[in-house]
Structures are given as structure tokens and as C-alpha cells.
Amino acid sequence: SAVISQKPSRDICQRGTSLTIQCQVDSQVTMMFWYRQQPGQSLTLIATANQGSEATYESGFVIDKFPISRPNLTFSTLTVSNMSPEDSSIYLCSVEDLRGVVTGELFFGEGSRLTVL
Amino acid sequence: AQSVAQPEDQVNVAEGNPLTVKCTYSVSGNPYLFWYVQYPNRGLQFLLKYITGDNLVKGSYGFEAEFNKSQTSFHLKKPSALVSDSALYFCAVRGGFTGGGNKLTFGTGTQLKVEL
């Protein structure tokens, strides 16, 4: 069974709309990370989501464009706001510790592939 | 700032032949190095890591990687490639091992194509 589940797995969106991606983990985790993988490119960290505090955004990413929620230790959402075709990407949720064990590597969800027309 | 270089966009190998996917890194302090694989329309799967200890690290699906500190490299290898190994491979580095501390920086990826 999947350890990290993302919804939706893919979507086609219209320019100017917003879409919220959900990430559910089957155990409590300290931090959740949101990455973007643009077509043919590597992964770029958008932000780190902690439960009970605001997310920490990387350079080039802002809360107004990518608001994040982290209501509890197993769930997070990433919203892509006012989308443009340049936002067409795979968005990946990842965590560092599973079942309380930190081993250094990140574990990833299957990703959410967004296409903006 | 830490960085990862994967100099080859694509590597082509015949099935049964050995394969190497190259990775070099730059980081302050001791490096923590990782390889991930991404199959089409899927997320990233962890293959192997170097944290400390033996320079030769063995991972999933018969893959291994050798940490070379003097050359700042962490090349991925497999003695005998399979068609099913065809995928996108990412090397990654982080400059520390504190929970939730240091970021993981990824290379640009190498597309491995294994042909019959």
C-alpha cells in the first residue's frame, strides 16, 4: 500500500484558476516538503511545511502564489494560485522521516501532474 | 552553496552490459549523497545513499555507487543492465544530517536507455 498519497494524480486546468494538491502520509512526520519538477528539468524545492507554523519558502517562491497548509502531522496541501502555462509541472510531496525514523533520504509521493492551458 | 552535476543527459547501454551514470557534487562539510530513480509518470524512488562508512554502497535492484572524496564523485553503477532499468536517474546531495535541517539538492537527471 502507498505510504505517501497525493491527489489529484493529474489535472488539466484553465489559466487563471487555482488548484489544491493534497498529500496524505500514513504515519506522523515532522516536516513535509513540496517540490516542483518542470518538464524535462530537475526537482526544485518550493517550501517546507511544519505543523503549527507557517511554511518556509525557498527563493523564488512566495506564499501568495503557493499557499501551503499543514493542519496535522500526516497531511498537507499545496495550492497553485492564478495558474499560467508556466505552472505546468509535476508537484511532489516528500517527507524525511517515516514512522519516527530519520534515515537521511526523502520519501516521495507519486506526484501531481498539472497541465495549464 | 551545494550543487550536483550529472554531465550526461542520456546514457545508452545494451542489455547485459555494465552501466555507469555519472555524478559529481560540491558541498561544504561531509556530503550525504543519494540516488533516486523516476519511472514514467511516477514519483521518485530511493535507490541508495552514502552517509558514512564504506565507499562502495549497494542499493536496490542490483545498483551500487562508489563515493570518491578526492574526485567529489558518486557514480551509479550496475554490472549487468536490464531493459527494465530504463528510467530517469537523479543524483542528490545534502550537506548535513539533522532532521529537517539541510536541503536536498538534485542534479538535472540522466535518462538511462537500455536496449536489447
Side-chain angles (χ1 to χ4, degrees):
Chain A
S1 61
V3 175
I4 305 171
S5 304
Q6 282 187 236
K7 292 181 181 179
S9 59
R10 59 177 61 229
D11 207 340
I12 299 174
C13 308
Q14 297 299 315
R15 182 195 300 257
T17 63
S18 299
L19 183 79
T20 296
I21 302 167
Q22 299 179 3
C23 180
Q24 177 75 54
V25 187
D26 72 348
S27 63
Q28 293 184 343
V29 296
T30 306
M31 292 189 178
M32 298 176 78
F33 305 91
W34 286 98
Y35 281 84
R36 181 175 72 181
Q37 184 181 16
Q38 292 178 299
Q41 297 192 26
S42 186
L43 282 77
T44 303
L45 181 63
I46 298 172
T48 302
N50 296 316
Q51 193 262 339
S53 63
E54 283 199 3
T56 303
Y57 289 82
E58 298 300 309
S59 176
F61 297 97
V62 296
I63 188 171
D64 289 346
K65 176 67 175 177
F66 297 101
I68 288 172
S69 77
R70 182 80 198 274
N72 57 52
L73 291 174
T74 64
F75 186 78
S76 179
T77 66
L78 169 75
T79 299
V80 186
S81 302
N82 188 23
M83 286 186 285
S84 67
E86 292 71 34
D87 294 320
S88 297
S89 296
I90 301 173
Y91 293 86
L92 294 136
C93 169
S94 70
V95 304
E96 183 177 38
D97 57 311
L98 285 181
R99 300 179 184 85
V101 178
V102 176
T103 52
E105 66 268 30
L106 295 184
F107 302 91
F108 286 85
E110 292 290 305
S112 299
R113 181 182 294 268
L114 301 188
T115 301
V116 184
L117 303 178
Chain B
Q2 59 196 37
S3 64
V4 175
Q6 292 181 244
E8 302 154 317
D9 291 335
Q10 181 162 320
V11 170
N12 297 319
V13 178
E15 188 175 54
N17 284 359
L19 70 87
T20 298
V21 182
K22 295 179 181 177
C23 171
T24 58
Y25 66 89
S26 174
V27 69
S28 299
N30 293 324
Y32 300 95
L33 297 155
F34 308 86
W35 276 101
Y36 288 84
V37 59
Q38 185 177 38
Y39 297 99
N41 300 313
R42 303 294 298 276
L44 269 69
Q45 295 180 29
F46 168 73
L47 272 182
L48 52 79
K49 66 183 176 185
Y50 171 82
I51 301 294
T52 187
D54 289 342
N55 290 342
L56 184 63
V57 178
K58 294 186 183 296
S60 306
Y61 312 121
F63 283 93
E64 58 189 30
E66 185 166 12
F67 169 62
N68 188 316
K69 187 173 184 178
S70 63
Q71 297 185 5
T72 62
S73 66
F74 190 57
H75 301 330
L76 181 70
K77 301 181 180 184
K78 187 173 182 180
S80 179
L82 299 172
V83 172
S84 58
D85 293 329
S86 299
L88 185 60
Y89 291 81
F90 288 99
C91 181
V93 67
R94 67 191 303 181
F97 189 58
T98 56
N102 294 281
K103 295 180 294 184
L104 198 60
T105 299
F106 286 86
T108 51
T110 299
Q111 185 70 48
L112 174 65
K113 187 173 183 181
V114 182
E115 298 169 311
L116 291 171

